[in-house]
């Protein structure tokens, strides 16, 4: 099984924390769609004969697409790939795009069966600080409308650890969300990425990132409240009701092949990784000229090992020592066991039979732990 990711690089305005590839104008949209359709054709063999079980419109802001544009893209994909009958097809959407008309149209006239709504917060002060286009009422209304149009697989994105925020506000966010029967929640800590407005403001001391203690308290509260409501914490930043784990993201973590279409999109075919140029104009021109602009690297055994650790330890299933032994050798498994001991002692990891997992405190410093465990790369 495989997945297809489509990067729609357009946004009406730019959020102050965002470092995804995007452009703040829609002028190139038609040319981009033509190039995308051409890319689907020329990369039809990328996944071999593997069936596609997930399609994901991400961005940027995929909800800038009109219904006929979504259908043109999906029809083209269906023409060139073998699509599973119960394929999960997700559209990321911004709350302000989810009008009655748009939701009705998506529901009635497309095969989109999962919505991922970028709510981020129900507090206007947070939304303002992040320069989101919507306000709290619009965020709330977009979920209510999506449910009223019978979307039954809805994911909501939240951001926590916002400057000036505290645990009680996070609880208010969750309580408002619990007014609805939502199937999936992704919650990310705000990060200050170089080049973003928030990064510059933090550098100048205009805003102050929350401290580690506050960050962890918010993370713990998320875990506690979502568990109480029956959500399963299946990946560091993702929670879902039983049966509603994101199949698309799970495929990344299970290291299944995927095809990435559009500027900046990454692809993986079990052997190499390839990424398209992060420039919509050059992406479009290069495809129209018959010479798509991308870079590619063949993965070494060390890369595969590191990626296995990076992805598996983010999930509730953890890393399987038998698999490490089978795929990377006995020595790699022994080293991993040895290296993990200190984290098990400190309570950041646990071992159950052949599974090594991060605990909640381990999740919180997962980058540090995982890069330490990636010993094979340091040779
Ligand atoms: S967060 Fe989403 S909507 Fe905001 S600028 Fe980035 S891609 Fe666009």
């Amino acid at each position: 099984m495989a997945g297809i990711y489509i990067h729609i690089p357009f946004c009406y305005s730019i959020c102050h924390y965002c470092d995804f590839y995007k452009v703040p104008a829609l002028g190139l949209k038609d040319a981009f769609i033509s190039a995308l359709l051409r890319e689907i054709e020329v990369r039809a063999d990328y996944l071999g004969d593997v069936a596609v079980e997930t399609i994901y419109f991400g961005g940027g802001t995929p909800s800038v697409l009109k219904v006929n544009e979504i259908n043109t893209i999906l029809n083209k994909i269906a023409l060139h790939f073998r699509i599973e009958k119960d394929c999960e097809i997700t559209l990321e959407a911004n709350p302000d795009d989810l009008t009655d008309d748009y939701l009705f149209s998506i529901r009635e006239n497309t095969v989109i069966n999962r919505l991922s709504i970028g709510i981020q917060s129900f507090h206007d002060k947070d939304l303002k600080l992040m320069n989101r286009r919507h306000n709290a009422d619009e965020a709330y209304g977009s979920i209510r409308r999506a449910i009223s149009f019978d979307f039954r697989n809805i994911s909501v994105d939240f951001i926590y650890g916002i400057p000036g925020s505290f645990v009680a506000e996070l609880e208010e966010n969750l309580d408002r969300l619990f007014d609805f029967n939502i199937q999936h929640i992704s919650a990310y800590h705000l990060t200050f990425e170089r080049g973003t407005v928030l990064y510059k403001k933090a550098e100048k001391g205009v805003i102050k990132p929350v401290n580690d203690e506050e960050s962890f308290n918010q993370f713990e509260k998320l875990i506690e409240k979502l568990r109480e409501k029956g959500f399963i914490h299946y990946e560091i930043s993702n929670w879902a009701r039983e049966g509603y784990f994101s199949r698309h993201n799970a495929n990344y973590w299970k290291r299944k092949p995927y095809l990435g279409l559009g500027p900046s999109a990454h692809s993986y075919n079990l052997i190499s990784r390839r990424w398209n140029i992060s420039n919509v104009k050059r992406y479009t021109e290069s495809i129209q000229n018959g010479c798509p602009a991308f870079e590619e690297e063949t993965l070494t055994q060390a890369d595969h090992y590191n990626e296995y650790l990076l992805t598996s330890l983010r999930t509730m299933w953890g890393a399987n020592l038998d698999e490490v032994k089978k795929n990377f050798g006995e020595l790699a498994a022994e080293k991993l066991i040895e290296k993990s001991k200190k984290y098990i002692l400190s309570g950041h990891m646990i071992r159950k039979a052949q599974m090594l997992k991060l605990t909640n405190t381990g999740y919180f410093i997962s980058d540090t732990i995982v890069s330490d465990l990636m010993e094979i790369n340091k040779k």
Side-chain angles (χ1 to χ4, degrees):
M1 296 293 178
I4 293 181
Y5 172 82
I6 306 146
H7 192 80
I8 308 296
F10 305 104
C11 294
Y12 292 111
S13 61
I14 300 301
C15 305
H16 285 177
Y17 58 91
C18 177
D19 75 334
F20 297 130
Y21 176 66
K22 73 277 169 191
V23 287
L26 273 63
L28 291 170
K29 191 170 76 155
D30 289 348
F32 158 76
I33 291 173
S34 300
L36 182 67
L37 297 176
R38 181 76 190 125
E39 191 187 11
I40 293 168
E41 277 170 22
V42 298
R43 300 188 68 195
D45 292 335
Y46 187 81
L47 297 171
D49 192 33
V50 181
V52 173
E53 65 170 330
T54 66
I55 299 174
Y56 194 101
F57 286 88
T61 309
S63 49
V64 302
L65 292 175
K66 297 187 184 114
V67 165
N68 66 316
E69 293 167 335
I70 292 172
N71 282 335
T72 304
I73 296 166
L74 288 175
N75 289 339
K76 189 68 149 186
I77 289 173
L79 206 61
H80 292 278
F81 293 87
R82 195 154 57 83
I83 311 294
E84 282 290 298
K85 255 206 180 102
D86 68 337
C87 186
E88 174 191 278
I89 308 179
T90 304
L91 182 81
E92 280 183 357
N94 274 359
D96 39 310
D97 291 329
L98 295 180
T99 60
D100 282 353
D101 285 351
Y102 193 68
L103 283 162
F104 174 79
S105 240
I106 296 281
R107 189 81 187 100
E108 291 298 308
N109 303 319
T110 76
V111 287
I112 299 288
N113 52 28
R114 185 170 183 271
L115 271 187
S116 172
I117 311 177
I119 297 295
Q120 317 311 358
S121 171
F122 287 120
H123 292 283
D124 281 334
K125 74 173 175 65
D126 294 341
L127 295 168
K128 223 170 163 188
L129 183 136
M130 296 188 287
N131 201 38
R132 296 290 297 178
R133 284 181 69 227
H134 61 271
N135 62 30
D137 287 345
E138 285 166 334
Y140 192 85
S142 70
I143 303 177
R144 188 177 41 72
R145 284 194 298 279
I147 290 173
S148 76
F149 282 100
D150 209 22
F151 281 91
R152 293 176 188 185
N153 191 353
I154 297 176
S155 179
V156 160
D157 273 9
F158 261 111
I159 293 180
Y160 65 98
I162 297 167
S165 69
F166 39 89
V167 172
E169 289 178 349
L170 178 84
E171 289 196 75
E172 283 165 19
N173 269 339
L174 293 172
D175 288 339
R176 288 206 82 186
L177 187 65
F178 296 150
D179 288 350
F180 305 108
N181 181 21
I182 294 293
Q183 289 74 31
H184 189 280
I185 293 166
S186 300
Y188 303 94
H189 196 287
L190 185 74
T191 53
F192 293 79
E193 305 296 338
R194 195 174 281 277
T196 62
V197 172
L198 284 193
Y199 181 89
K200 287 173 196 148
K201 282 189 172 174
E203 238 183 359
K204 285 184 192 153
V206 179
I207 53 169
K208 201 165 160 256
V210 293
N211 62 36
D212 282 354
E213 192 187 349
E214 179 61 40
S215 287
F216 185 68
N217 289 343
Q218 292 193 19
F219 184 54
E220 265 204 317
K221 185 54 78 180
L222 264 172
I223 294 170
E224 179 195 317
K225 286 203 72 135
L226 290 170
R227 191 195 313 116
E228 276 169 18
K229 290 288 176 182
F231 285 90
I232 302 164
H233 189 192
Y234 71 104
E235 197 264 354
I236 290 184
S237 309
N238 287 283
W239 289 256
R241 297 200 182 282
E242 188 70 58
Y244 288 94
F245 296 173
S246 160
R247 283 161 56 198
H248 187 78
N249 287 342
N251 282 352
Y252 293 145
W253 306 322
K254 290 178 190 158
R255 297 162 69 237
K256 291 190 182 177
Y258 54 87
L259 168 67
L261 302 163
S264 82
H266 283 230
S267 305
Y268 170 63
N269 64 0
L270 305 182
I271 297 164
S272 61
R273 193 169 293 292
R274 161 177 171 164
W275 53 101
N276 287 346
I277 189 170
S278 295
N279 181 312
V280 65
K281 194 159 183 282
R282 285 174 57 203
Y283 161 84
T284 301
E285 286 166 0
S286 73
I287 290 192
Q288 302 302 16
N289 295 337
C291 202
F294 64 87
E295 288 183 69
E296 189 166 29
E297 67 174 359
T298 301
L299 298 178
T300 62
Q301 188 70 345
D303 293 331
H304 282 292
Y305 175 74
N306 291 342
E307 289 203 5
Y308 175 73
L309 284 189
L310 193 69
T311 49
S312 62
L313 286 174
R314 291 182 64 90
T315 69
M316 68 177 187
W317 302 282
N320 184 331
L321 290 166
D322 286 337
E323 260 186 59
V324 172
K325 207 180 286 178
K326 192 172 104 204
N327 296 324
F328 306 103
E330 204 141 321
L331 191 61
E334 277 169 22
K335 282 188 171 180
L336 181 56
I337 292 168
E338 199 48 44
K339 276 251 161 192
S340 310
K341 279 182 182 162
K342 64 176 184 242
Y343 296 115
I344 293 171
L345 267 177
S346 63
H348 292 97
M349 288 182 88
I350 48 167
R351 179 174 172 184
K352 274 195 186 157
Q354 290 303 85
M355 302 306 296
L356 273 175
K357 301 181 202 181
L358 294 177
T359 59
N360 290 345
T361 53
Y363 275 155
F364 196 66
I365 55 162
S366 63
D367 289 351
T368 311
I369 296 177
V370 173
S371 70
D372 184 28
L373 297 178
M374 285 177 177
E375 191 181 27
I376 203 165
N377 207 25
K378 293 175 188 162
K379 300 228 152 161

